[in-house]
């Protein structure tokens, strides 16, 4: 499955009021291009920190299901956050990783996720439910199933490294992203 196809499957399953924190690079750009929404938080830089921000939002808003859409390179940069999420254990946190085994946003340099299974790290850290999908048709049922189970939960989606390089950048300023996210999340 292509990275874009993973987003096409995933985004329609997210409800309007559910906060989504996106890792930087193509992860933000794909989501922004396919369906921009006020409850989307886009990281403009700060690689690795979408998971920390998602954890903070989940702890502050326990009544909302908080989704992190992360990249393999981002997860590898902040591996300790997996342990922090598992230790804090917010039931409302859903961590989705788009794993293309490269740092695609900066020229497709190989990451370690071809050799190290990120979902195994999440599982051994203590995430409650961990699924891995490789086929496009499995994204929807597995994500919907995972969202009904108490978290923190982890969904690894294996994709081909082929984001569309013509996909535009997020045009909102960091201030605009913050303000509208805070308004949407309440
Ligand atoms: C601290 C830091 N280092 C490097 C970068 C440059 N950078 C931006 S996105 C990215 C790749 C992210 O990789 P991954 O999470 O796998 O997402 P992909 O690009 O593959 O979709 C890099 C290296 C950055 N923004 N910040
Ligand atoms: Mg990647």
């Amino acid at each position: 499955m292509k990275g874009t196809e993973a987003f096409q499957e995933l985004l329609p399953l997210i409800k309007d009021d559910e906060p989504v924190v996106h890792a930087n690079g193509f992860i933000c750009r794909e989501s922004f291009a396919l369906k921009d929404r006020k409850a989307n938080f886009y990281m403009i830089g700060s690689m690795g920190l979408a998971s920390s921000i998602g954890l903070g939002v989940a702890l502050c808003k326990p009544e909302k299901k908080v989704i992190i859409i992360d990249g393999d390179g981002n997860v590898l940069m902040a591996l300790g956050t997996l342990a922090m999420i598992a230790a804090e254990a917010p039931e409302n946190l859903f961590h989705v990783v788009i794993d293309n085994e490269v740092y695609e946003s900066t020229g497709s340099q190989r990451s370690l996720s071809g050799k190290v299974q990120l979902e195994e790290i999440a599982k051994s850290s203590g995430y409650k439910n961990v699924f891995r999908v490789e086929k496009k048709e499995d994204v929807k049922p597995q994500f919907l199933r995972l969202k009904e189970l108490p978290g923190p939960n982890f969904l690894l989606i294996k994709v081909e490294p082929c984001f569309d390089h013509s996909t535009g950048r997020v045009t909102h300023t960091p201030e605009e992203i913050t303000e509208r996210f805070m308004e949407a999340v309440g």
Side-chain angles (χ1 to χ4, degrees), residues 72-73 98 100-104:
D72 51 302
I98 308 293
N100 52 13
E101 301 184 5
V102 291
Y103 299 89
E104 192 167 2

Side-chain angles (χ1 to χ4, degrees), residues 145-176:
R145 206 178 127 216
L146 202 75
K147 249 178 100 190
E148 292 313 312
L149 299 168
N153 295 341
F154 192 90
L155 176 65
L156 188 97
I157 306 178
K158 277 281 179 191
V159 301
E160 296 163 42
C162 53
F163 281 125
D164 181 354
H165 286 234
S166 66
T167 303
R169 290 180 184 275
V170 174
T171 52
H172 306 302
T173 64
E175 290 80 7
E176 284 164 355

